[in-house]
Amino acid sequence: MELELIASGKVREVYAVRDDPTKLLMVATDRISAYDRVFAEPVIDKGRLLSAISATAFTALGDRFQTHFVDVPIDVPAQFLGRATLVKRAAMIPVECVARGYLVGSAWDAYRTDGTVQGVALPTGLGFGDRLKEPIFTPTTKEETGHDRPLTPLELRDLHGIELAQRLEELTKAIYVALATWFSEHGLTLVDSKFEFGWVDGDLVLADEIATPDSSRIVRGEPGASPEWLDKQLLRDWLSEHGFRGDGQAPVLNGELIESVQGAYRQVYETLSGRSFDDWPGGHDAYRGVDR
């Protein structure tokens, strides 16, 4: 497979497949980011875990939704093994489509202010971690640099038109419900999740990663006053406890935190797949000497 690096993000690198211009190879690194900051300390095997979880989720969705997922190839350079996903090349829509099934995070902060979340009115009397009667759609812009900007339904329609805005909302909610049901069957709760979409041959398809601890909040059981986070919220909480929320000098991530994050991501994969992560292709030794 002849590859050409065409993009490098906070966590993923994207390669064009020179002998098939309709495909891309997405490679997940061990980098981790929060509050728009990429940290110097890698989480070993995080890229393999992200690829494993995302591939498992795409497979679980089956043919219920159109997606860009092709497979997890093994005919790749050794350093990419287990962390590379072959996908259809899509013209991406610059919107992060977030579905929320529970009242946590920034949604909880907004609700406490005026009872709404990005223009969506919610019932009075809800508490932190409460399950919503139905999932709500809270999209944001997808900025090249800096913070993504929350969008109300009206703002999304102004940016992308009524028809596409409605389709994005419908798809986001439907995919979230399907994945949340699958998570529940395995004793996990998909609290909220971010999705991205793009166009492939005129069809709107689900793209990027899905259902990973980087793109979702995940707990074992139900969220409550002290939820057992199995996602990047572990890092956000640790940073907040150390006085960092994106400004100034970031603290160095210690070994205990890194081990905790890796262990949480591994739990998600093994719980959803029913397999040991030890059997997933590749290994961190294969990635040694390559910039994570």
Side-chain angles (χ1 to χ4, degrees), residues 18-29:
R18 286 182 173 170
D19 57 348
D20 187 349
T22 69
K23 302 292 192 302
L24 296 173
L25 193 73
M26 295 175 55
V27 179
T29 72

Side-chain angles (χ1 to χ4, degrees), residues 253-285:
L253 309 186
N254 62 37
E256 181 180 357
L257 172 68
I258 290 172
E259 186 176 332
S260 177
V261 170
Q262 194 219 44
Y265 284 39
R266 179 169 180 142
Q267 280 190 60
V268 172
Y269 169 71
E270 293 185 340
T271 301
L272 293 174
S273 70
R275 303 186 182 96
S276 170
F277 181 62
D278 293 336
D279 298 330
W280 184 256
H284 71 265
D285 285 347

Side-chain angles (χ1 to χ4, degrees), residues 6-283:
I6 58 174
S8 183
K10 293 175 182 175
V11 174
R12 282 175 176 75
E13 293 167 352
V14 181
Y15 292 81
V17 181
R18 286 182 173 170
D19 57 348
D20 187 349
T22 69
K23 302 292 192 302
L24 296 173
L25 193 73
M26 295 175 55
V27 179
T29 72
D30 291 342
R31 298 190 292 264
I32 193 165
S33 67
Y35 298 125
D36 296 319
R37 185 74 59 91
V38 179
F39 294 87
E41 301 78 30
V43 176
I44 301 301
D45 279 338
K46 175 174 172 282
R48 292 174 62 231
L49 282 159
L50 293 180
S51 298
I53 295 166
S54 198
T56 302
F58 275 120
T59 302
L61 287 178
D63 59 3
R64 286 178 286 175
F65 302 95
Q66 290 184 289
T67 79
H68 76 160
F69 179 75
V70 178
D71 65 17
V72 178
I74 58 173
D75 58 334
V76 294
Q79 66 267 30
F80 295 165
L81 189 61
R83 59 180 69 242
T85 304
L86 188 66
V87 301
K88 301 170 188 174
R89 186 189 285 262
M92 298 299 292
I93 298 168
V95 177
E96 296 202 338
C97 297
V98 181
R100 301 177 184 272
Y102 295 79
L103 197 55
V104 301
S106 60
W108 169 241
D109 294 336
Y111 173 78
R112 286 190 296 172
T113 299
D114 62 5
T116 69
V117 180
Q118 290 177 224
V120 179
L122 296 177
T124 60
L126 296 177
F128 177 85
D130 280 356
R131 183 175 182 174
L132 302 175
K133 185 175 181 180
E134 61 180 38
I136 60 173
F137 177 57
T138 58
T140 73
T141 60
K142 186 172 176 62
E143 304 293 343
E144 293 294 330
T145 59
H147 297 284
D148 297 330
R149 181 172 60 84
L151 295 170
T152 66
L154 181 59
E155 288 171 332
L156 181 63
R157 291 169 191 166
D158 287 343
L159 283 173
H160 295 285
I162 294 175
E163 184 177 351
L164 180 56
Q166 290 177 338
R167 186 68 178 134
L168 290 174
E169 179 171 358
E170 291 168 358
L171 275 173
T172 297
K173 289 181 177 179
I175 293 167
Y176 171 78
V177 169
L179 290 173
T181 300
W182 176 55
F183 269 65
S184 180
E185 290 168 353
H186 292 81
L188 301 178
T189 297
L190 188 64
V191 176
D192 54 40
S193 199
K194 180 265 294 180
F195 307 110
E196 295 188 37
F197 297 89
W199 298 101
V200 176
D201 296 330
D203 294 322
L204 188 61
V205 307
L206 176 62
D208 198 58
E209 62 178 329
I210 58 167
T212 71
D214 267 18
S215 64
S216 312
R217 285 188 177 91
I218 302 166
V219 299
R220 188 175 296 283
E222 291 282 322
S226 300
E228 181 189 349
W229 298 116
L230 296 176
D231 57 73
K232 200 164 65 171
Q233 191 64 40
L234 291 167
L235 172 60
R236 297 189 196 98
D237 288 347
W238 185 90
L239 291 170
S240 295
E241 290 168 5
H242 287 74
F244 180 77
R245 293 185 65 87
D247 297 320
Q249 182 67 36
V252 174
L253 309 186
N254 62 37
E256 181 180 357
L257 172 68
I258 290 172
E259 186 176 332
S260 177
V261 170
Q262 194 219 44
Y265 284 39
R266 179 169 180 142
Q267 280 190 60
V268 172
Y269 169 71
E270 293 185 340
T271 301
L272 293 174
S273 70
R275 303 186 182 96
S276 170
F277 181 62
D278 293 336
D279 298 330
W280 184 256

